[in-house]
PDB file of all heavy atoms in Angstrom:
ATOM      1  N   ASP A 103     -25.887   6.742 -24.670  1.00 81.00           N
ATOM      2  CA  ASP A 103     -25.511   5.725 -25.644  1.00 81.00           C
ATOM      3  C   ASP A 103     -26.631   5.512 -26.646  1.00 81.00           C
ATOM      4  O   ASP A 103     -27.532   4.732 -26.406  1.00 81.00           O
ATOM      5  CB  ASP A 103     -25.264   4.408 -24.888  1.00 81.00           C
ATOM      6  CG  ASP A 103     -23.833   3.968 -25.081  1.00 81.00           C
ATOM      7  OD1 ASP A 103     -23.083   4.698 -25.745  1.00 81.00           O
ATOM      8  OD2 ASP A 103     -23.480   2.910 -24.550  1.00 81.00           O
ATOM      9  N   PRO A 146      -3.082  14.360 -72.161  1.00 92.00           N
ATOM     10  CA  PRO A 146      -4.083  15.150 -72.886  1.00 92.00           C
ATOM     11  C   PRO A 146      -4.111  16.642 -72.528  1.00 92.00           C
ATOM     12  O   PRO A 146      -4.974  17.356 -73.021  1.00 92.00           O
ATOM     13  CB  PRO A 146      -5.418  14.489 -72.514  1.00 92.00           C
ATOM     14  CG  PRO A 146      -5.075  13.138 -72.081  1.00 92.00           C
ATOM     15  CD  PRO A 146      -3.722  13.251 -71.435  1.00 92.00           C
ATOM     16  N   GLN A 174      -8.269  13.882 -52.772  1.00 95.00           N
ATOM     17  CA  GLN A 174      -9.499  13.085 -52.718  1.00 95.00           C
ATOM     18  C   GLN A 174     -10.006  12.958 -51.282  1.00 95.00           C
ATOM     19  O   GLN A 174     -11.212  12.980 -51.041  1.00 95.00           O
ATOM     20  CB  GLN A 174      -9.265  11.717 -53.368  1.00 95.00           C
ATOM     21  CG  GLN A 174      -8.852  11.872 -54.811  1.00 95.00           C
ATOM     22  CD  GLN A 174      -9.133  10.664 -55.690  1.00 95.00           C
ATOM     23  OE1 GLN A 174      -9.635  10.832 -56.786  1.00 95.00           O
ATOM     24  NE2 GLN A 174      -8.825   9.476 -55.250  1.00 95.00           N
ATOM     25  N   PHE A 330     -13.620   6.004 -32.431  1.00 92.00           N
ATOM     26  CA  PHE A 330     -14.579   6.356 -33.483  1.00 92.00           C
ATOM     27  C   PHE A 330     -13.958   7.330 -34.480  1.00 92.00           C
ATOM     28  O   PHE A 330     -14.205   7.252 -35.673  1.00 92.00           O
ATOM     29  CB  PHE A 330     -15.830   6.947 -32.841  1.00 92.00           C
ATOM     30  CG  PHE A 330     -16.953   7.155 -33.817  1.00 92.00           C
ATOM     31  CD1 PHE A 330     -17.249   6.195 -34.776  1.00 92.00           C
ATOM     32  CD2 PHE A 330     -17.717   8.307 -33.778  1.00 92.00           C
ATOM     33  CE1 PHE A 330     -18.281   6.385 -35.675  1.00 92.00           C
ATOM     34  CE2 PHE A 330     -18.743   8.499 -34.681  1.00 92.00           C
ATOM     35  CZ  PHE A 330     -19.011   7.548 -35.630  1.00 92.00           C
ATOM     36  N   ILE A 344      -9.854   4.534 -53.097  1.00 94.00           N
ATOM     37  CA  ILE A 344     -10.436   3.609 -54.076  1.00 94.00           C
ATOM     38  C   ILE A 344     -11.233   4.348 -55.155  1.00 94.00           C
ATOM     39  O   ILE A 344     -11.240   3.945 -56.298  1.00 94.00           O
ATOM     40  CB  ILE A 344     -11.340   2.572 -53.364  1.00 94.00           C
ATOM     41  CG1 ILE A 344     -10.516   1.753 -52.377  1.00 94.00           C
ATOM     42  CG2 ILE A 344     -11.980   1.644 -54.374  1.00 94.00           C
ATOM     43  CD1 ILE A 344     -11.327   0.778 -51.582  1.00 94.00           C
ATOM     44  N   THR A 346     -12.369   7.759 -57.401  1.00 93.00           N
ATOM     45  CA  THR A 346     -12.032   9.095 -57.913  1.00 93.00           C
ATOM     46  C   THR A 346     -13.083  10.097 -57.478  1.00 93.00           C
ATOM     47  O   THR A 346     -14.265   9.791 -57.482  1.00 93.00           O
ATOM     48  CB  THR A 346     -12.053   9.085 -59.455  1.00 93.00           C
ATOM     49  OG1 THR A 346     -11.338   7.974 -59.913  1.00 93.00           O
ATOM     50  CG2 THR A 346     -11.472  10.359 -60.021  1.00 93.00           C
ATOM     51  N   ASN A 348     -13.998  14.242 -58.383  1.00 92.00           N
ATOM     52  CA  ASN A 348     -13.695  15.426 -59.184  1.00 92.00           C
ATOM     53  C   ASN A 348     -12.395  15.261 -59.975  1.00 92.00           C
ATOM     54  O   ASN A 348     -11.381  15.872 -59.647  1.00 92.00           O
ATOM     55  CB  ASN A 348     -13.613  16.662 -58.283  1.00 92.00           C
ATOM     56  CG  ASN A 348     -13.603  17.938 -59.110  1.00 92.00           C
ATOM     57  OD1 ASN A 348     -13.897  17.898 -60.309  1.00 92.00           O
ATOM     58  ND2 ASN A 348     -13.265  19.044 -58.494  1.00 92.00           N
ATOM     59  N   TYR A 353     -11.597  17.906 -67.062  1.00 92.00           N
ATOM     60  CA  TYR A 353     -12.389  19.093 -67.402  1.00 92.00           C
ATOM     61  C   TYR A 353     -11.615  20.139 -68.176  1.00 92.00           C
ATOM     62  O   TYR A 353     -12.204  20.963 -68.859  1.00 92.00           O
ATOM     63  CB  TYR A 353     -12.974  19.710 -66.126  1.00 92.00           C
ATOM     64  CG  TYR A 353     -14.040  18.843 -65.519  1.00 92.00           C
ATOM     65  CD1 TYR A 353     -13.767  18.000 -64.456  1.00 92.00           C
ATOM     66  CD2 TYR A 353     -15.328  18.855 -66.044  1.00 92.00           C
ATOM     67  CE1 TYR A 353     -14.743  17.190 -63.920  1.00 92.00           C
ATOM     68  CE2 TYR A 353     -16.311  18.052 -65.516  1.00 92.00           C
ATOM     69  CZ  TYR A 353     -16.020  17.214 -64.440  1.00 92.00           C
ATOM     70  OH  TYR A 353     -16.986  16.411 -63.927  1.00 92.00           O
ATOM     71  N   VAL A 361     -19.093  24.145 -71.993  1.00 88.00           N
ATOM     72  CA  VAL A 361     -19.857  23.691 -70.828  1.00 88.00           C
ATOM     73  C   VAL A 361     -20.038  22.201 -71.024  1.00 88.00           C
ATOM     74  O   VAL A 361     -20.415  21.768 -72.101  1.00 88.00           O
ATOM     75  CB  VAL A 361     -21.242  24.364 -70.749  1.00 88.00           C
ATOM     76  CG1 VAL A 361     -22.026  23.832 -69.569  1.00 88.00           C
ATOM     77  CG2 VAL A 361     -21.106  25.857 -70.661  1.00 88.00           C
ATOM     78  N   SER A 362     -19.742  21.415 -70.015  1.00 88.00           N
ATOM     79  CA  SER A 362     -19.888  19.980 -70.163  1.00 88.00           C
ATOM     80  C   SER A 362     -21.324  19.566 -69.865  1.00 88.00           C
ATOM     81  O   SER A 362     -21.974  20.158 -69.010  1.00 88.00           O
ATOM     82  CB  SER A 362     -18.943  19.273 -69.208  1.00 88.00           C
ATOM     83  OG  SER A 362     -19.281  17.912 -69.118  1.00 88.00           O
ATOM     84  N   ALA A 363     -21.787  18.525 -70.587  1.00 87.00           N
ATOM     85  CA  ALA A 363     -23.057  17.913 -70.181  1.00 87.00           C
ATOM     86  C   ALA A 363     -22.853  17.332 -68.785  1.00 87.00           C
ATOM     87  O   ALA A 363     -21.753  16.913 -68.440  1.00 87.00           O
ATOM     88  CB  ALA A 363     -23.435  16.808 -71.149  1.00 87.00           C
ATOM     89  N   GLN A 366     -22.854  19.669 -62.684  1.00 90.00           N
ATOM     90  CA  GLN A 366     -23.638  19.844 -61.460  1.00 90.00           C
ATOM     91  C   GLN A 366     -22.731  20.354 -60.364  1.00 90.00           C
ATOM     92  O   GLN A 366     -21.522  20.145 -60.404  1.00 90.00           O
ATOM     93  CB  GLN A 366     -24.236  18.512 -61.008  1.00 90.00           C
ATOM     94  CG  GLN A 366     -25.624  18.240 -61.519  1.00 90.00           C
ATOM     95  CD  GLN A 366     -25.612  17.383 -62.748  1.00 90.00           C
ATOM     96  OE1 GLN A 366     -24.554  16.980 -63.224  1.00 90.00           O
ATOM     97  NE2 GLN A 366     -26.780  17.095 -63.283  1.00 90.00           N
ATOM     98  N   PRO A 367     -23.330  21.018 -59.368  1.00 92.00           N
ATOM     99  CA  PRO A 367     -22.539  21.365 -58.188  1.00 92.00           C
ATOM    100  C   PRO A 367     -22.393  20.143 -57.295  1.00 92.00           C
ATOM    101  O   PRO A 367     -23.033  19.118 -57.532  1.00 92.00           O
ATOM    102  CB  PRO A 367     -23.387  22.438 -57.516  1.00 92.00           C
ATOM    103  CG  PRO A 367     -24.782  22.129 -57.920  1.00 92.00           C
ATOM    104  CD  PRO A 367     -24.712  21.491 -59.269  1.00 92.00           C
ATOM    105  N   ASN A 471     -37.820  11.174 -71.091  1.00 91.00           N
ATOM    106  CA  ASN A 471     -37.711  12.514 -71.633  1.00 91.00           C
ATOM    107  C   ASN A 471     -37.352  13.484 -70.516  1.00 91.00           C
ATOM    108  O   ASN A 471     -38.024  13.531 -69.483  1.00 91.00           O
ATOM    109  CB  ASN A 471     -39.077  12.855 -72.240  1.00 91.00           C
ATOM    110  CG  ASN A 471     -39.087  14.196 -72.904  1.00 91.00           C
ATOM    111  OD1 ASN A 471     -38.259  15.064 -72.612  1.00 91.00           O
ATOM    112  ND2 ASN A 471     -40.030  14.373 -73.803  1.00 91.00           N
TER     113      ASN A 471
ATOM    114  N   ALA B 384      -3.580  16.260 -76.789  1.00 93.00           N
ATOM    115  CA  ALA B 384      -4.005  17.453 -76.057  1.00 93.00           C
ATOM    116  C   ALA B 384      -4.869  18.346 -76.933  1.00 93.00           C
ATOM    117  O   ALA B 384      -5.874  18.906 -76.480  1.00 93.00           O
ATOM    118  CB  ALA B 384      -2.785  18.222 -75.562  1.00 93.00           C
ATOM    119  N   ARG B 391     -13.501  19.371 -75.811  1.00 92.00           N
ATOM    120  CA  ARG B 391     -14.151  20.200 -74.789  1.00 92.00           C
ATOM    121  C   ARG B 391     -14.952  21.325 -75.429  1.00 92.00           C
ATOM    122  O   ARG B 391     -16.049  21.650 -74.985  1.00 92.00           O
ATOM    123  CB  ARG B 391     -13.102  20.803 -73.854  1.00 92.00           C
ATOM    124  CG  ARG B 391     -12.597  19.846 -72.811  1.00 92.00           C
ATOM    125  CD  ARG B 391     -11.833  20.563 -71.739  1.00 92.00           C
ATOM    126  NE  ARG B 391     -10.610  21.180 -72.228  1.00 92.00           N
ATOM    127  CZ  ARG B 391      -9.445  20.549 -72.338  1.00 92.00           C
ATOM    128  NH1 ARG B 391      -9.355  19.283 -72.010  1.00 92.00           N
ATOM    129  NH2 ARG B 391      -8.377  21.183 -72.779  1.00 92.00           N
ATOM    130  N   ALA B 395     -18.196  18.435 -75.726  1.00 91.00           N
ATOM    131  CA  ALA B 395     -18.472  18.134 -74.320  1.00 91.00           C
ATOM    132  C   ALA B 395     -19.839  18.619 -73.863  1.00 91.00           C
ATOM    133  O   ALA B 395     -20.412  18.045 -72.939  1.00 91.00           O
ATOM    134  CB  ALA B 395     -17.386  18.747 -73.437  1.00 91.00           C
ATOM    135  N   MET B 396     -20.377  19.669 -74.512  1.00 90.00           N
ATOM    136  CA  MET B 396     -21.672  20.167 -74.017  1.00 90.00           C
ATOM    137  C   MET B 396     -22.771  19.129 -74.150  1.00 90.00           C
ATOM    138  O   MET B 396     -23.742  19.181 -73.406  1.00 90.00           O
ATOM    139  CB  MET B 396     -22.067  21.502 -74.654  1.00 90.00           C
ATOM    140  CG  MET B 396     -22.152  21.504 -76.141  1.00 90.00           C
ATOM    141  SD  MET B 396     -20.513  21.740 -76.842  1.00 90.00           S
ATOM    142  CE  MET B 396     -20.254  23.486 -76.569  1.00 90.00           C
ATOM    143  N   VAL B 400     -17.520  15.966 -70.723  1.00 90.00           N
ATOM    144  CA  VAL B 400     -16.069  16.091 -70.954  1.00 90.00           C
ATOM    145  C   VAL B 400     -15.366  14.748 -70.979  1.00 90.00           C
ATOM    146  O   VAL B 400     -14.350  14.579 -71.644  1.00 90.00           O
ATOM    147  CB  VAL B 400     -15.349  16.959 -69.904  1.00 90.00           C
ATOM    148  CG1 VAL B 400     -15.503  18.416 -70.215  1.00 90.00           C
ATOM    149  CG2 VAL B 400     -15.766  16.635 -68.510  1.00 90.00           C
ATOM    150  N   GLU B 409     -36.549  16.424 -75.261  1.00 85.00           N
ATOM    151  CA  GLU B 409     -37.609  15.521 -75.735  1.00 85.00           C
ATOM    152  C   GLU B 409     -37.189  14.060 -75.822  1.00 85.00           C
ATOM    153  O   GLU B 409     -37.540  13.355 -76.760  1.00 85.00           O
ATOM    154  CB  GLU B 409     -38.126  15.965 -77.116  1.00 85.00           C
ATOM    155  CG  GLU B 409     -38.700  17.364 -77.149  1.00 85.00           C
ATOM    156  CD  GLU B 409     -40.062  17.470 -76.468  1.00 85.00           C
ATOM    157  OE1 GLU B 409     -40.496  16.469 -75.845  1.00 85.00           O
ATOM    158  OE2 GLU B 409     -40.670  18.538 -76.530  1.00 85.00           O
ATOM    159  N   SER B 463      -9.095   6.048 -64.846  1.00 86.00           N
ATOM    160  CA  SER B 463      -8.956   7.245 -64.029  1.00 86.00           C
ATOM    161  C   SER B 463      -7.819   7.095 -63.022  1.00 86.00           C
ATOM    162  O   SER B 463      -7.680   6.058 -62.380  1.00 86.00           O
ATOM    163  CB  SER B 463     -10.267   7.508 -63.286  1.00 86.00           C
ATOM    164  OG  SER B 463     -10.095   8.569 -62.394  1.00 86.00           O
ATOM    165  N   GLY B 465      -7.489   8.387 -60.224  1.00 87.00           N
ATOM    166  CA  GLY B 465      -7.890   8.431 -58.822  1.00 87.00           C
ATOM    167  C   GLY B 465      -8.580   7.182 -58.312  1.00 87.00           C
ATOM    168  O   GLY B 465      -9.064   7.167 -57.197  1.00 87.00           O
ATOM    169  N   GLY B 466      -8.670   6.136 -59.135  1.00 88.00           N
ATOM    170  CA  GLY B 466      -9.396   4.941 -58.713  1.00 88.00           C
ATOM    171  C   GLY B 466     -10.657   4.787 -59.544  1.00 88.00           C
ATOM    172  O   GLY B 466     -10.743   5.334 -60.648  1.00 88.00           O
ATOM    173  N   PHE B 467     -11.634   4.040 -59.034  1.00 90.00           N
ATOM    174  CA  PHE B 467     -12.871   3.831 -59.791  1.00 90.00           C
ATOM    175  C   PHE B 467     -13.504   5.177 -60.134  1.00 90.00           C
ATOM    176  O   PHE B 467     -13.546   6.079 -59.303  1.00 90.00           O
ATOM    177  CB  PHE B 467     -13.856   2.991 -58.982  1.00 90.00           C
ATOM    178  CG  PHE B 467     -13.413   1.570 -58.809  1.00 90.00           C
ATOM    179  CD1 PHE B 467     -12.922   1.136 -57.597  1.00 90.00           C
ATOM    180  CD2 PHE B 467     -13.463   0.675 -59.871  1.00 90.00           C
ATOM    181  CE1 PHE B 467     -12.488  -0.168 -57.435  1.00 90.00           C
ATOM    182  CE2 PHE B 467     -13.033  -0.628 -59.725  1.00 90.00           C
ATOM    183  CZ  PHE B 467     -12.545  -1.059 -58.498  1.00 90.00           C
ATOM    184  N   PRO B 474     -20.413  15.368 -60.151  1.00 91.00           N
ATOM    185  CA  PRO B 474     -20.760  15.424 -58.733  1.00 91.00           C
ATOM    186  C   PRO B 474     -22.009  14.641 -58.331  1.00 91.00           C
ATOM    187  O   PRO B 474     -22.163  14.323 -57.162  1.00 91.00           O
ATOM    188  CB  PRO B 474     -20.982  16.919 -58.497  1.00 91.00           C
ATOM    189  CG  PRO B 474     -20.182  17.590 -59.548  1.00 91.00           C
ATOM    190  CD  PRO B 474     -20.259  16.706 -60.730  1.00 91.00           C
ATOM    191  N   GLU B 477     -20.974  11.223 -57.302  1.00 93.00           N
ATOM    192  CA  GLU B 477     -20.181  11.346 -56.077  1.00 93.00           C
ATOM    193  C   GLU B 477     -21.081  11.589 -54.863  1.00 93.00           C
ATOM    194  O   GLU B 477     -20.894  10.996 -53.793  1.00 93.00           O
ATOM    195  CB  GLU B 477     -19.175  12.494 -56.211  1.00 93.00           C
ATOM    196  CG  GLU B 477     -18.096  12.238 -57.252  1.00 93.00           C
ATOM    197  CD  GLU B 477     -17.431  13.507 -57.777  1.00 93.00           C
ATOM    198  OE1 GLU B 477     -17.727  14.608 -57.265  1.00 93.00           O
ATOM    199  OE2 GLU B 477     -16.631  13.404 -58.698  1.00 93.00           O
ATOM    200  N   LEU B 496     -21.042   0.566 -32.680  1.00 85.00           N
ATOM    201  CA  LEU B 496     -20.348   1.061 -31.492  1.00 85.00           C
ATOM    202  C   LEU B 496     -21.262   1.168 -30.277  1.00 85.00           C
ATOM    203  O   LEU B 496     -20.824   0.988 -29.141  1.00 85.00           O
ATOM    204  CB  LEU B 496     -19.756   2.448 -31.768  1.00 85.00           C
ATOM    205  CG  LEU B 496     -18.403   2.485 -32.452  1.00 85.00           C
ATOM    206  CD1 LEU B 496     -17.990   3.918 -32.688  1.00 85.00           C
ATOM    207  CD2 LEU B 496     -17.363   1.780 -31.617  1.00 85.00           C
ATOM    208  N   ARG B 499     -25.062  -3.078 -27.444  1.00 73.00           N
ATOM    209  CA  ARG B 499     -24.589  -3.756 -26.236  1.00 73.00           C
ATOM    210  C   ARG B 499     -24.782  -5.244 -26.417  1.00 73.00           C
ATOM    211  O   ARG B 499     -25.817  -5.671 -26.916  1.00 73.00           O
ATOM    212  CB  ARG B 499     -25.418  -3.330 -25.028  1.00 73.00           C
ATOM    213  CG  ARG B 499     -25.187  -1.928 -24.617  1.00 73.00           C
ATOM    214  CD  ARG B 499     -26.332  -1.478 -23.742  1.00 73.00           C
ATOM    215  NE  ARG B 499     -26.237  -0.064 -23.466  1.00 73.00           N
ATOM    216  CZ  ARG B 499     -25.458   0.453 -22.527  1.00 73.00           C
ATOM    217  NH1 ARG B 499     -24.744  -0.338 -21.776  1.00 73.00           N
ATOM    218  NH2 ARG B 499     -25.412   1.746 -22.331  1.00 73.00           N
TER     219      ARG B 499
END
Side-chain angles (χ1 to χ4, degrees):
Chain A
D103 241 2
Q174 300 204 135
F330 188 42
I344 299 177
T346 312
N348 192 13
Y353 290 99
V361 178
S362 167
Q366 267 96 0
N471 183 338
Chain B
R391 281 194 295 274
M396 57 277 284
V400 279
E409 301 287 7
S463 174
F467 291 105
E477 293 158 5
L496 276 178
R499 290 162 188 279

